[in-house]
Amino acid sequence: QVQLVESGGGLVQAGGSLRLSCAASGSIFSIDLMRWYRQAPGKQRMLVATISRGSIANYADSVKGRFTISRDNAKNTVYLQMNSLKPEDTAVYYCNAPTYGNNYWGQGTQVTVSS
């Protein structure tokens, strides 16, 4: 019922910036919270940031002050602006939309930060 399409990943040097996008389609009326997760090789998938329909945002301590989650409800898109990137930010980043019926995931987009 909900499809999530991510974009914006890539290779960047430490200190650089990237903006990830996640476009939602389908039964988007069922979406309240939107989340970004990341998973590094050999690591657990970790919650990075969440944002409500009212744009109330929460962040993991490791990204607070550097990442900004936002959403454009008219475009059905959630963003993750990543500034001051560090090598430890290297991971596959996933968009997530928990709904009453299902928990939807994007395909993931690779972010690699070089030293």
Side-chain angles (χ1 to χ4, degrees):
Q1 284 190 296
V2 175
Q3 297 81 45
L4 304 175
V5 179
E6 298 164 307
S7 61
L11 176 64
V12 66
Q13 290 184 310
S17 298
L18 287 172
R19 188 177 75 157
L20 307 183
S21 299
C22 174
S25 62
S27 301
I28 56 176
F29 56 84
S30 65
I31 299 174
D32 185 11
L33 288 172
M34 295 289 290
R35 300 169 175 168
W36 285 100
Y37 284 77
R38 70 187 185 190
Q39 187 168 23
K43 302 284 188 177
Q44 293 181 329
R45 188 172 296 188
M46 302 293 295
L47 180 63
V48 175
T50 64
I51 188 166
S52 69
R53 276 281 186 179
S55 295
I56 298 172
N58 289 281
Y59 302 93
D61 288 342
S62 59
V63 307
K64 196 171 295 182
R66 299 187 297 118
F67 290 12
T68 302
I69 188 171
S70 62
R71 66 193 295 169
D72 186 335
N73 291 328
K75 296 181 178 180
N76 302 316
T77 301
V78 63
Y79 305 94
L80 186 67
Q81 178 68 46
M82 306 186 294
N83 298 326
S84 301
L85 282 162
K86 305 174 180 179
E88 51 262 46
D89 296 319
T90 295
V92 178
Y93 284 71
Y94 297 90
C95 183
N96 169 245
T99 70
Y100 179 81
N102 291 101
N103 194 24
Y104 297 96
W105 295 90
Q107 78 283 1
T109 185
Q110 176 71 48
V111 172
T112 302
V113 184
S114 62
S115 300

